[in-house]
Amino acid sequence: MRPSFLFSCFCCFIAPLSAWTQEKVNYIPPIPFVPETYVCYQSREALQIDGRLDEESWQAAEWTGEFVDIQGALRPTPPLRTRAKLLWDEQYFYIAAELEEPHVWAKLRQRDTIIFQDDDFEVFIDPDGDGLHYYEFEINAFNTVWDLLMLRPYRNNITGQPVNLFNWNIPDCQTAVAVQGTINDPTDVDQGWTVEMAIPWSALQEMARPKRRPQDGAQWRLNFSRVDWHMKVGGGAYVKEKDPDTGKNQAEENWVWSPQGVINMHRPETWGYVQFTEMPVGVQVVSFVDAPEEAIKWALWQLYYQQYRYREVHGFFTR
């Protein structure tokens, strides 16, 4: 992490000495900092991207832990299981997910629409772990995708400049969805849907340091999210349930691999860690190794949070 990153956004908002206050402003993280970890092995074979996950390498790869509510232990355990698994080879980073769902539905078919208006699966990747530039990828049960390049988290939008490249596309990205049941048919009960994607390193290395695919032992920050809307059957189709008090759609559920503590996926510093190994999957177990510098980074993030909390109260950052 570049030390200047955490403080560069403060320089335009420094308060004069006369504006200082004796009031102490604290920030207490809503949940403990215990990001999930995963070791990503090399695939032993070429993978066919069809959403079925039936190759030997996929069968040998471990699932992540089951997704939890985005707020972690502050909210109940999700009623439907969601989990993911990862592999890689020289060309691609492979991501698969399994979403249990008795009523599979989707509406959006146009690329780069706001996919989380449907039930969806989402991927967030911060290759260099700077908490600033990262990738976001969303997909629904129709295999409709929205991929965008985030220049900074939304909370950092203090200059009015764009925070993302909305119409940026990952070239040569392959995706597929397999539905275990029937999509948009409320007369039956489905098992769910599976997602499979192959993201080329040629796109991901743009935000990596150095600019190449991860080497043996490298760790990237990632998280996965599932958006699940409250649905009912109306007129022979699935429709979103309304809040009886407001008349608006009920708020969606957000289930994630590594909990954020708040309803906000755009906090890369709280995502999980994925460690890459050149060991072929299923041959030998490789242990995840904690990086001691991550504890230092988290301490710096506490200062970052306190500065932003101070600015919320007083309108400017401290010196």
Side-chain angles (χ1 to χ4, degrees):
M1 175 182 292
R2 295 181 293 272
S4 60
F5 154 62
L6 291 177
F7 307 102
S8 60
C9 60
F10 305 150
C11 60
C12 295
F13 295 88
I14 293 176
L17 287 174
S18 59
W20 279 23
T21 175
Q22 296 299 314
E23 178 187 355
K24 183 173 178 60
V25 176
N26 287 323
Y27 175 86
I28 300 175
I31 60 174
F33 178 68
V34 189
E36 294 289 329
T37 63
Y38 186 92
V39 175
C40 181
Y41 294 85
Q42 188 169 6
S43 177
R44 301 198 306 259
E45 63 205 306
L47 299 177
Q48 182 178 356
I49 306 303
D50 55 12
R52 303 190 188 281
L53 315 183
D54 49 8
E55 291 91 349
E56 290 185 4
S57 291
W58 275 132
Q59 295 297 309
E62 294 286 337
W63 289 105
T64 63
E66 294 184 13
F67 287 19
V68 299
D69 188 90
I70 192 171
Q71 297 180 76
L74 302 178
R75 295 280 296 164
T77 300
L80 301 175
R81 184 174 73 180
T82 314
R83 54 186 183 172
K85 57 173 62 178
L86 309 171
L87 289 168
W88 72 274
D89 63 19
E90 291 294 328
Q91 284 187 289
Y92 294 103
F93 184 24
Y94 299 101
I95 300 172
E98 177 187 76
L99 298 84
E100 181 184 36
E101 176 55 67
H103 302 290
V104 179
W105 69 278
K107 293 185 177 181
L108 300 173
R109 291 183 178 272
Q110 181 178 339
R111 186 189 178 104
D112 289 337
T113 45
I114 310 299
I115 300 300
F116 63 76
Q117 295 300 327
D118 285 352
D119 286 356
D120 78 353
F121 174 72
E122 304 178 357
V123 179
F124 297 82
I125 306 174
D126 184 2
D128 63 4
D130 68 353
L132 191 59
H133 309 92
Y134 54 93
Y135 304 91
E136 179 178 354
F137 189 97
E138 303 183 6
I139 186 168
N140 68 4
F142 274 148
N143 193 29
T144 308
V145 303
W146 178 28
D147 48 357
L148 64 160
L149 186 65
M150 296 297 300
L151 305 176
R152 65 188 66 83
Y154 291 102
R155 67 188 173 199
N156 288 41
N157 188 24
I158 60 178
T159 63
Q161 298 298 314
V163 298
N164 59 48
L165 301 180
F166 189 94
N167 292 321
W168 175 87
N169 292 332
I170 299 176
D172 302 320
C173 183
Q174 303 176 45
T175 65
V177 169
V179 176
Q180 292 79 53
T182 51
I183 190 169
N184 290 336
D185 183 356
T187 66
D188 65 2
V189 177
D190 309 310
Q191 291 181 300
W193 51 297
T194 51
V195 176
E196 187 177 16
M197 59 183 69
I199 305 177
W201 296 120
S202 57
L204 296 178
Q205 68 188 18
E206 181 179 0
M207 295 298 177
R209 253 197 341 259
K211 294 184 179 299
R212 63 186 183 193
R213 71 160 180 81
Q215 305 300 293
D216 189 70
Q219 294 181 1
W220 284 15
R221 303 301 300 269
L222 275 83
N223 213 348
F224 309 108
S225 173
R226 173 183 178 176
V227 169
D228 191 85
W229 291 89
H230 296 272
M231 307 296 291
K232 65 177 182 179
V233 178
Y238 292 120
V239 294
K240 294 178 180 177
E241 293 187 3
K242 300 292 184 180
D243 186 306
D245 296 326
T246 66
K248 298 179 179 179
N249 293 331
Q250 283 194 18
E252 74 281 8
E253 301 291 340
N254 296 273
W255 304 329
V256 305
W257 172 46
S258 198
Q260 304 285 94
V262 297
I263 305 175
N264 181 3
M265 280 302 298
H266 296 272
R267 291 161 56 98
E269 69 278 6
T270 57
W271 295 350
Y273 293 92
V274 171
Q275 176 178 303
F276 295 88
T277 176
E278 295 182 356
M279 181 68 65
V281 66
V283 174
Q284 180 179 328
V285 175
V286 175
S287 298
F288 184 89
V289 178
D290 292 323
E293 64 268 22
E294 292 303 315
I296 300 173
K297 290 181 182 180
W298 182 239
L300 290 172
W301 279 110
Q302 302 314 296
L303 176 59
Y304 176 95
Y305 291 141
Q306 286 180 286
Q307 285 278 19
Y308 264 84
R309 181 72 185 107
Y310 190 96
R311 181 171 176 264
E312 288 177 356
V313 173
H314 299 290
F316 46 76
F317 294 114
T318 76
R319 288 187 182 273

